[in-house]
Amino acid sequence: MSASYDAAAVAALADQPVSWQDKALPPAFWGRTVADVLAGKPRLSDLPTPLLTLSAPGLQHNVETLARWCTEHGVQLAPHGKTTMAPALWAKQLDAGAWGITLANVFQLGVARAYGVSRVMIANSVVSPLQLRWIADELAADPAFEVMVWADSVRTVEILQAARSAYVDADARPLDVLVEVGGAGGRTGARDVETGLAIGAAIADASTLRLAGVAGYEGAIAHGADEAGLEHVRSYLRDLAAVHRGLHYEADVVPVVSAGGSAYFEQVAQVLAPLANDGARVVLRSGAYIAHDDGYYREVSPLGSTPRTNGDGLIPAMHGWVRITSQPEAGLAIFDAGKRDLPYDEGLPEPQLLRPRYSRQRPRPLEGMTVTKLNDQHGFLRFSPDGEPPVVIGDELRVGLSHPCTAFDKWGLIPVIDDPDADDPVVVDLVRTFF
């Protein structure tokens, strides 16, 4: 059963005014509500650069594609909401059947609670007593609210138990805890099956906790999609399954077995989906898929440029728009976007289109150009120093981006356009983020 959310609270985002804090919008729109701005059907040419936009058809395609893929492969989806931190986009994912929303910390959980998300997995250990008390209060106040946290050591379990036992009554709802399984060279998580089983036993013995399953993140185990890397991922997932099989759950618990970022979810389904036949709930947590990209995930996603599974391919649904501001030397142009505006940790922006310079022109594909560096607020575009330069000061370019997780956090309000390939796309939505 899909998690629910507060549809009225999400709809009320349209009543919020925009202001000077929203760098995606020009001063002419400040003081107007989101709904009022959209009623005027603004176009891309009405917005300043630098800019990040989302593609409405791309978002819809990606949400529907992964929802369908999960159904066909016998797994459920709790998309990682930290990618977008946008309740309006979480709502699209939940409307498409997502079992819940995954988040990374208690601040993000607070956003989810403000918008009524009823089922959340925190893909992390929570060891702050103050935060654990707040979670206890939320569980007590709302019987329909479900939250799961992770633990990768017996010490973590002891902290959870101590904080809760000092604060909650004996009849309080227990906190659901998943054993986190890691791997050598990875991030957090128990490094071997024996440690994982010991953590599970400690959770089961704690009076204020409930053993609810196992989880982990295979994306920290391997980079790339060569066969050796994929086998490394599968080996890790087999260890995760072994921990699950060795745990002893209460009779009324449907154990959650969760893995799966946006790079190897087909491997997760291959190894873990059969556990559903024994009563487990196998849950993917892919997050970047909703926007996909023109960089890292284009190359490594199972539904990317080199697919490793059946199903429709994902579509890049985020783009940057930049303007040439300087041509200080032959073969170099500087544009008005930098690290404060565009992601760069998994690859630099990719020049794609030159926007029309004059009316009745069409966007023109760009070739022979490379973004070589980003400063805080400047980008370096290199091309052949010979002949007529392909761009001039004032030109507006569309660039492809890599890594959605470090794109959304740079923008508090993101325009959604109807067609990123159009001469002058129409803005059909404005998505508010909370970072």
Side-chain angles (χ1 to χ4, degrees):
M1 179 179 177
S2 300
S4 60
Y5 63 93
D6 187 340
V10 173
L13 288 166
D15 299 327
Q16 294 185 358
V18 303
S19 73
W20 53 266
Q21 298 179 75
D22 300 308
K23 66 179 182 178
L25 299 184
F29 294 160
W30 297 350
R32 298 163 62 180
T33 66
V34 166
D36 186 38
V37 171
L38 294 175
K41 297 184 178 180
R43 292 185 173 271
L44 184 67
S45 58
D46 294 317
L47 305 181
T49 57
L51 185 67
L52 177 77
T53 64
L54 300 171
S55 162
L59 292 173
Q60 190 65 27
H61 170 87
N62 293 343
V63 168
E64 293 175 353
T65 292
L66 197 59
R68 182 168 54 249
W69 189 93
C70 288
T71 298
E72 292 172 353
H73 289 81
V75 297
Q76 298 188 51
L77 178 64
H80 212 321
K82 59 93 175 170
T83 298
T84 66
M85 285 308 295
L89 297 182
W90 298 348
K92 290 182 181 294
Q93 294 168 307
L94 292 168
D95 287 343
W99 178 75
I101 294 292
T102 300
L103 296 168
N105 55 44
V106 176
F107 160 74
Q108 295 173 5
L109 177 63
V111 177
R113 294 304 294 146
Y115 289 89
V117 178
S118 64
R119 183 183 294 122
V120 173
M121 182 188 302
I122 299 181
N124 226 327
S125 297
V126 178
V127 295
S128 163
L130 292 176
Q131 293 178 332
L132 290 167
R133 289 180 180 185
W134 180 77
I135 291 174
D137 289 340
E138 291 295 301
L139 289 169
D142 184 357
F145 173 48
E146 301 176 44
V147 63
M148 289 150 276
V149 302
W150 293 6
D152 73 346
S153 71
V154 172
R155 170 65 176 160
T156 301
V157 177
E158 292 170 348
I159 291 173
L160 292 170
Q161 169 68 3
R164 286 180 54 80
S165 61
Y167 187 71
V168 301
D169 297 330
D171 59 351
R173 270 202 293 161
L175 176 63
D176 285 340
V177 184
L178 307 183
V179 176
E180 182 186 0
V181 179
R187 196 165 58 192
T188 52
R191 291 304 201 248
D192 54 68
V193 171
E194 292 74 17
T195 302
L197 295 177
I199 296 164
I203 297 168
D205 288 342
S207 61
T208 69
L209 310 176
R210 184 172 70 162
L211 178 61
V214 299
Y217 177 50
E218 76 291 343
I221 301 298
H223 264 324
D226 61 292
E227 182 53 33
L230 296 180
E231 175 54 30
H232 197 184
V233 169
R234 289 191 293 269
S235 176
Y236 160 73
L237 293 169
R238 289 192 288 268
D239 284 346
L240 190 149
V243 173
H244 161 69
R245 292 191 182 99
L247 295 176
H248 301 287
Y249 300 102
E250 295 179 10
D252 61 343
V253 170
V254 177
V256 170
V257 179
S258 178
S262 294
Y264 305 108
F265 53 78
E266 95 289 8
Q267 304 296 315
V268 175
Q270 177 183 326
V271 177
L272 299 185
L275 298 177
N277 297 328
D278 298 323
R281 177 176 283 113
V282 180
V283 179
L284 297 183
R285 303 188 312 278
S286 310
Y289 81 94
I290 188 170
H292 198 49
D293 69 12
D294 281 302
Y296 176 73
Y297 285 107
R298 176 181 62 190
E299 301 303 321
V300 77
S301 169
L303 294 173
S305 59
T306 308
R308 302 190 303 272
T309 184
N310 61 306
D312 294 335
L314 297 172
I315 295 173
M318 66 174 187
H319 298 91
W321 305 85
V322 304
R323 195 175 306 274
I324 303 298
T325 61
S326 176
Q327 290 180 280
E329 61 187 60
L332 171 66
I334 304 297
F335 56 80
D336 60 353
K339 295 178 180 178
R340 302 282 177 86
D341 310 298
L342 304 176
Y344 59 91
D345 58 310
E346 291 285 1
L348 292 171
E350 173 186 276
Q352 293 182 333
L353 289 178
L354 174 66
R355 291 261 294 133
R357 292 175 180 167
Y358 310 105
S359 62
R360 290 192 291 274
Q361 281 190 330
R362 294 284 297 160
R364 179 164 57 85
L366 293 174
E367 297 179 352
M369 298 183 182
T370 305
V371 176
T372 58
K373 183 169 62 172
L374 294 182
N375 291 162
D376 286 353
Q377 317 277 189
H378 298 84
F380 290 68
L381 182 68
R382 295 281 183 178
F383 44 86
S384 173
D386 301 326
E388 194 73 19
V391 295
V392 298
I393 292 174
D395 278 351
E396 186 178 351
L397 281 57
R398 189 187 84 191
V399 295
L401 305 175
S402 180
H403 200 196
C405 297
T406 53
F408 282 79
D409 64 331
K410 295 169 174 57
W411 297 85
L413 193 67
I414 305 176
V416 182
I417 56 178
D418 64 341
D419 181 0
D421 297 321
D423 297 356
D424 198 6
V426 177
V427 178
V428 296
D429 203 357
L430 293 167
V431 169
R432 176 70 66 185
T433 68
F434 297 88
F435 284 95

